Coordinates of all heavy atoms in Angstrom, one line a residue:
I111 N -27.7 21.0 -36.9 CA -27.1 22.0 -37.8 C -28.2 22.5 -38.7 O -29.0 21.8 -39.2 CB -26.0 21.4 -38.6 CG1 -24.8 21.0 -37.7 CG2 -25.5 22.4 -39.7 CD1 -23.7 20.3 -38.5
V112 N -28.3 23.8 -38.8 CA -29.2 24.5 -39.8 C -28.4 25.2 -40.8 O -27.6 26.1 -40.5 CB -30.2 25.4 -39.1 CG1 -31.0 26.1 -40.1 CG2 -31.0 24.7 -38.1
E113 N -28.5 24.7 -42.0 CA -27.8 25.4 -43.2 C -28.7 26.5 -43.7 O -29.9 26.2 -44.0 CB -27.5 24.4 -44.3 CG -26.5 23.4 -43.9 CD -26.3 22.4 -45.1 OE1 -26.9 22.5 -46.2 OE2 -25.6 21.4 -44.8
L114 N -28.2 27.7 -43.7 CA -29.0 28.9 -44.1 C -28.8 29.3 -45.5 O -29.4 30.3 -45.9 CB -28.8 30.0 -43.1 CG -29.2 29.8 -41.7 CD1 -28.6 30.9 -40.7 CD2 -30.7 29.6 -41.5
Q115 N -28.0 28.6 -46.2 CA -27.8 28.8 -47.7 C -27.6 27.5 -48.4 O -27.1 26.6 -47.8 CB -26.5 29.7 -47.9 CG -26.6 31.1 -47.4 CD -25.3 31.8 -47.6 OE1 -24.3 31.4 -47.1 NE2 -25.3 32.9 -48.4
S116 N -28.0 27.5 -49.6 CA -27.6 26.4 -50.5 C -26.4 26.8 -51.3 O -26.5 27.8 -52.1 CB -28.8 26.0 -51.4 OG -29.9 25.6 -50.7
N117 N -25.4 26.1 -51.2 CA -24.2 26.4 -51.9 C -23.3 25.2 -51.9 O -23.3 24.4 -50.9 CB -23.5 27.6 -51.2 CG -22.3 28.1 -51.9 OD1 -21.3 27.4 -52.2 ND2 -22.4 29.4 -52.3
G118 N -22.6 25.0 -53.0 CA -21.7 23.8 -53.1 C -20.7 23.6 -52.0 O -20.5 22.5 -51.6
V119 N -20.2 24.7 -51.5 CA -19.2 24.5 -50.4 C -19.8 24.0 -49.1 O -19.1 23.5 -48.2 CB -18.4 25.8 -50.1 CG1 -17.6 26.2 -51.4 CG2 -19.3 26.9 -49.7
M120 N -21.1 24.1 -49.0 CA -21.8 23.7 -47.8 C -21.8 22.2 -47.7 O -22.0 21.6 -46.6 CB -23.2 24.2 -47.7 CG -23.3 25.7 -47.7 SD -22.5 26.5 -46.3 CE -23.8 26.3 -45.1
A121 N -21.6 21.5 -48.8 CA -21.7 20.0 -48.8 C -20.4 19.4 -48.2 O -20.5 18.2 -47.7 CB -21.8 19.6 -50.3
E122 N -19.3 20.1 -48.1 CA -18.1 19.5 -47.6 C -18.0 19.9 -46.1 O -17.1 20.6 -45.7 CB -16.9 20.1 -48.4 CG -16.9 19.6 -49.8 CD -16.8 18.1 -49.9 OE1 -16.1 17.5 -49.2 OE2 -17.5 17.6 -50.8
Q123 N -18.9 19.4 -45.3 CA -18.9 19.7 -43.9 C -17.7 19.0 -43.2 O -17.3 17.9 -43.6 CB -20.2 19.3 -43.2 CG -21.3 20.2 -43.6 CD -22.6 19.9 -42.8 OE1 -22.6 19.3 -41.8 NE2 -23.7 20.4 -43.3
P124 N -17.3 19.5 -42.0 CA -16.3 18.8 -41.2 C -16.8 17.5 -40.8 O -18.0 17.2 -40.8 CB -16.1 19.7 -40.0 CG -16.6 21.1 -40.4 CD -17.7 20.8 -41.4
K125 N -15.9 16.6 -40.3 CA -16.2 15.3 -39.8 C -16.6 15.5 -38.3 O -15.8 15.8 -37.5 CB -15.1 14.3 -39.8 CG -14.6 14.1 -41.2 CD -15.6 13.4 -42.0 CE -15.1 13.1 -43.4 NZ -16.1 13.1 -44.4
W126 N -17.9 15.5 -38.0 CA -18.4 15.7 -36.7 C -18.2 14.5 -35.9 O -18.3 13.3 -36.3 CB -19.9 16.1 -36.7 CG -20.2 17.2 -37.7 CD1 -20.9 17.1 -38.9 CD2 -19.9 18.6 -37.5 NE1 -21.0 18.4 -39.4 CE2 -20.3 19.3 -38.6 CE3 -19.2 19.3 -36.5 CZ2 -20.2 20.7 -38.8 CZ3 -19.0 20.7 -36.7 CH2 -19.5 21.3 -37.8
D127 N -18.0 14.7 -34.6 CA -17.8 13.5 -33.6 C -19.0 12.7 -33.6 O -19.0 11.5 -33.6 CB -17.4 14.1 -32.3 CG -17.1 13.0 -31.3 OD1 -16.5 12.0 -31.7 OD2 -17.5 13.1 -30.1
K128 N -20.2 13.3 -33.6 CA -21.5 12.6 -33.6 C -22.2 13.2 -34.8 O -22.1 14.4 -35.1 CB -22.2 12.8 -32.3 CG -21.5 12.3 -31.1 CD -22.3 12.6 -29.8 CE -21.5 12.0 -28.7 NZ -21.1 12.9 -27.7
A129 N -23.1 12.4 -35.4 CA -23.8 12.9 -36.6 C -25.0 13.8 -36.2 O -26.0 13.3 -35.7 CB -24.3 11.7 -37.3
P130 N -24.8 15.1 -36.4 CA -25.9 16.0 -36.0 C -27.0 15.8 -37.0 O -26.8 15.4 -38.2 CB -25.3 17.4 -36.1 CG -24.1 17.2 -37.0 CD -23.6 15.8 -36.8
L131 N -28.2 16.2 -36.6 CA -29.4 16.3 -37.5 C -29.3 17.6 -38.3 O -29.1 18.6 -37.7 CB -30.7 16.2 -36.8 CG -30.9 14.9 -36.0 CD1 -32.2 14.9 -35.2 CD2 -30.9 13.7 -37.0
V132 N -29.4 17.5 -39.6 CA -29.2 18.7 -40.5 C -30.5 19.1 -41.1 O -31.3 18.3 -41.6 CB -28.2 18.4 -41.6 CG1 -28.0 19.6 -42.5 CG2 -26.8 18.0 -41.0
S133 N -30.8 20.4 -41.0 CA -32.0 21.0 -41.6 C -31.4 22.1 -42.6 O -30.4 22.7 -42.4 CB -32.8 21.7 -40.6 OG -33.3 20.8 -39.7
R134 N -32.2 22.3 -43.6 CA -31.9 23.4 -44.6 C -33.0 24.4 -44.6 O -34.1 24.0 -45.0 CB -31.6 22.8 -45.9 CG -30.3 22.0 -45.9 CD -30.1 21.2 -47.2 NE -28.8 20.4 -47.1 CZ -28.8 19.2 -46.6 NH1 -29.8 18.7 -46.0 NH2 -27.6 18.6 -46.5
W135 N -32.7 25.6 -44.3 CA -33.6 26.7 -44.4 C -33.2 27.7 -45.5 O -32.1 28.3 -45.3 CB -33.7 27.5 -43.1 CG -34.2 26.7 -41.9 CD1 -34.7 25.4 -41.8 CD2 -34.3 27.2 -40.5 NE1 -35.0 25.1 -40.6 CE2 -34.8 26.2 -39.7 CE3 -34.0 28.4 -40.0 CZ2 -35.0 26.3 -38.4 CZ3 -34.2 28.6 -38.6 CH2 -34.7 27.5 -37.8

Side-chain angles (χ1 to χ4, degrees):
I111 294 176
V112 175
E113 294 178 3
L114 296 170
Q115 289 178 303
S116 294
N117 189 299
V119 298
M120 300 296 278
E122 297 298 321
Q123 292 189 13
K125 300 294 182 212
W126 307 109
D127 184 38
K128 298 179 178 117
L131 296 177
V132 178
S133 299
R134 289 172 183 84
W135 297 356

